[in-house]
Amino acid sequence: MMVEKYKIRTDLAMEQKERFESDHVEVSGVVLEEEYDEEKEIKITTVRIETENGAKAMGKPVGTYLTLEAPNMAAADEGYHREISETLADFLEKYMKDTEENQEKGYSVLVVGLGNREVTPDALGPYVVDQLNVTRHIVQEYGRYAVGKGGSMIVSAIVPGVMAQTGMESAEIIRGIVNETTPDLIMVIDALAARSTKRLNRTIQISDAGIYPGAGVGNHRSEITKDTMGIPVIAIGVPTVVDAATIVHDSMEHLLDALEETEQKEFLEEMIAPNLYSMFVTPKDVDETVKYLSFTISEGLNIAFSEV
C-alpha cells in the first residue's frame, strides 16, 4: 500500500472497486457486475454505489457507473467505432425515458463539453460538441417534426471553457443556461484520469451521478450534479491521462511485492519524487486518438437523440 500523500488518482469507479478487491476488502453498499460482448469485443462493467457508506469508501457519490472497455477503441477502424457508438447509444437511451408530459413538448437535453480545446488530452468534450446534431434552434423555428418523423429530441450544446479562460466556474455557466433554457437533462462530456495505462483511450465511463471536474488530476472544481443543477446529470468520460507516479509504481510492482508494507512505504518515499504526483502522462498519438474518440461518442449521442 502506498502512503496517503502518494495516493494514485483515478476517475473510474471500476478502478476504485478493483483497488479494494486487490486488498481483499469487501465494500458494503457497492455492487459490481461484469459482462462481455464477444461479438463486439466490449467488456461492460457496472458499479452501483447504493449507500452513503459505500460512497464514502469509494470516494464517489451514490449512483451507477457503467464502463465500456474496448481494446481497439484507440485504433482508426470506423466499423469498430460504429459498433461502440451503437453500444453507447443503447445505454444512453435507458437514461432518457420520455413521459407523457414531455411527449408533447419534446424531451430537451443540454450537452456540455468540458475541458480546454487548446490542450489535446483535455479537448474531448469540446470536440464531441463540435460534431453534435444540435436541433433546439430548428425546433423553436419550425417545430419538433422538422427534425425527424417522430419529433427528434431537442438538443442544445455549450463549451463553457475553463476558469483560466472565462474567470467563471463551468458549473456557474451551466446553471445560468439551465435557468434560461429549462432542459430536462444535462449530459456532460469530459476527459478523465485512469489508474491503469491499459485503459487510456480504450474506456468510456457513463454515470448518472454527475461529475466533479478535475477531481482525477487534483484540480477540484464545483460539482455538476442533480443537487446543484436541479435536473438529472449524465456524465460521459474517457481517460486520456495517467498519473506519472502510477507508471513508476507499476514498473516496480514485482519488487514491491517482495517487500513488507513498511519497507514499501519507505522505498516509495525515497524513489518517487513528490513532483511526479503533479505530473500526468498521455500517449504520444493522443491528437489522432482524441479525434477518433470524439467522433465515436458524438455518433453515439446522435444515434441516441434521434431514437428516443
Side-chain angles (χ1 to χ4, degrees), residues 63-124:
T64 300
Y65 300 80
L66 188 145
T67 308
L68 309 179
E69 289 184 87
N72 297 321
M73 192 184 297
D77 184 338
E78 290 188 11
Y80 187 66
H81 279 260
R82 179 68 181 187
E83 292 182 344
I84 297 171
S85 297
E86 291 171 350
T87 302
L88 175 62
D90 289 341
F91 285 111
L92 290 177
E93 287 170 22
K94 297 176 183 178
Y95 289 106
M96 300 182 293
K97 298 294 183 181
D98 267 354
T99 64
E100 292 183 5
E101 178 185 351
N102 60 44
Q103 283 283 4
E104 292 300 321
K105 72 181 182 62
Y107 195 88
S108 175
V109 59
L110 169 64
V111 181
V112 180
L114 292 181
N116 185 349
R117 68 167 69 245
E118 304 301 325
V119 180
T120 305
D122 195 33
L124 179 71

Side-chain angles (χ1 to χ4, degrees), residues 146-215:
V147 291
K149 291 182 181 179
S152 180
M153 183 175 291
I154 301 169
V155 181
S156 55
I158 182 68
V159 177
V162 294
M163 182 176 279
Q165 297 169 327
T166 65
M168 294 177 283
E169 289 273 7
S170 294
E172 293 174 327
I173 297 172
I174 298 165
R175 194 179 303 114
I177 294 172
V178 168
N179 291 338
E180 184 68 25
T181 63
T182 62
D184 298 298
L185 173 74
I186 300 171
M187 198 164 288
V188 183
I189 319 297
D190 197 12
L192 308 178
R195 160 66 180 85
S196 170
T197 54
K198 70 180 182 181
R199 292 194 172 103
L200 287 182
N201 303 322
R202 294 176 175 86
T203 305
I204 301 175
Q205 177 175 269
I206 311 167
S207 169
D208 62 3
I211 194 168
Y212 292 71

Side-chain angles (χ1 to χ4, degrees), residues 13-18 20-21 25-33 45-65:
M14 63 178 297
E15 291 189 329
Q16 288 284 59
K17 188 68 170 65
E18 287 174 347
F20 286 106
E21 290 178 349
V25 175
E26 184 66 29
V27 184
S28 176
V30 180
V31 178
L32 175 70
E33 298 174 353
T45 304
T46 303
V47 176
R48 292 199 305 274
I49 303 177
E50 300 176 335
T51 66
E52 290 300 331
N53 286 338
K56 185 177 180 181
M58 292 282 288
K60 294 186 176 297
V62 172
T64 300
Y65 300 80

